[in-house]
Amino acid sequence: MDYSNAIQAVKAGKKVRRKRWLSPDAYVELADNICYTNLQGKTVTAKLNIILPENTVRNQQMLAWVTDICSKLGWYPDSDDLLADDWEIYEEAEQ
């Protein structure tokens, strides 16, 4: 599938990946909050909200690039990703 179909799948809650990516466990999914541990050891969950004019709040979603060893919030496709037609739905292997 091409990138436009892949992004529609992500918006529908699917995980997608490129066939040419070297890591078989790498995929992209939609994230709408961040969970992290601060220096005091407390786990913090933060919604990604944007305050709009007139104090309205909109949930800001972003793409997360995920592998078996790390994740990156705010992933942006490069021109190769945008023009590729080797996107596919990522299916997690059963353990």
Side-chain angles (χ1 to χ4, degrees), residues 7-70:
I7 201 67
Q8 290 302 317
V10 168
K11 288 179 177 182
K14 303 283 186 185
K15 298 173 183 176
V16 298
R17 67 176 313 279
R18 295 269 320 270
K19 289 179 185 177
R20 70 173 277 283
W21 285 349
L22 297 177
S23 173
D25 296 317
Y27 61 87
V28 174
E29 68 180 340
L30 201 57
D32 68 358
N33 64 50
I34 301 169
C35 185
Y36 64 93
T37 303
N38 66 18
L39 294 176
Q40 292 74 35
K42 180 181 176 187
T43 300
V44 178
T45 300
K47 293 294 274 183
L48 301 172
N49 292 328
I50 295 177
I51 308 298
L52 299 172
E54 301 175 12
N55 291 325
T56 57
V57 177
R58 181 175 61 107
N59 186 21
Q60 176 68 37
Q61 296 175 320
M62 64 176 56
L63 295 174
W65 186 71
V66 182
T67 71
D68 56 344
I69 57 171
C70 68

Side-chain angles (χ1 to χ4, degrees), residues 68-85:
D68 56 344
I69 57 171
C70 68
S71 299
K72 177 185 174 188
L73 284 173
W75 178 83
Y76 293 100
D78 61 23
S79 59
D80 185 52
D81 294 323
L82 291 172
L83 298 171
D85 61 2

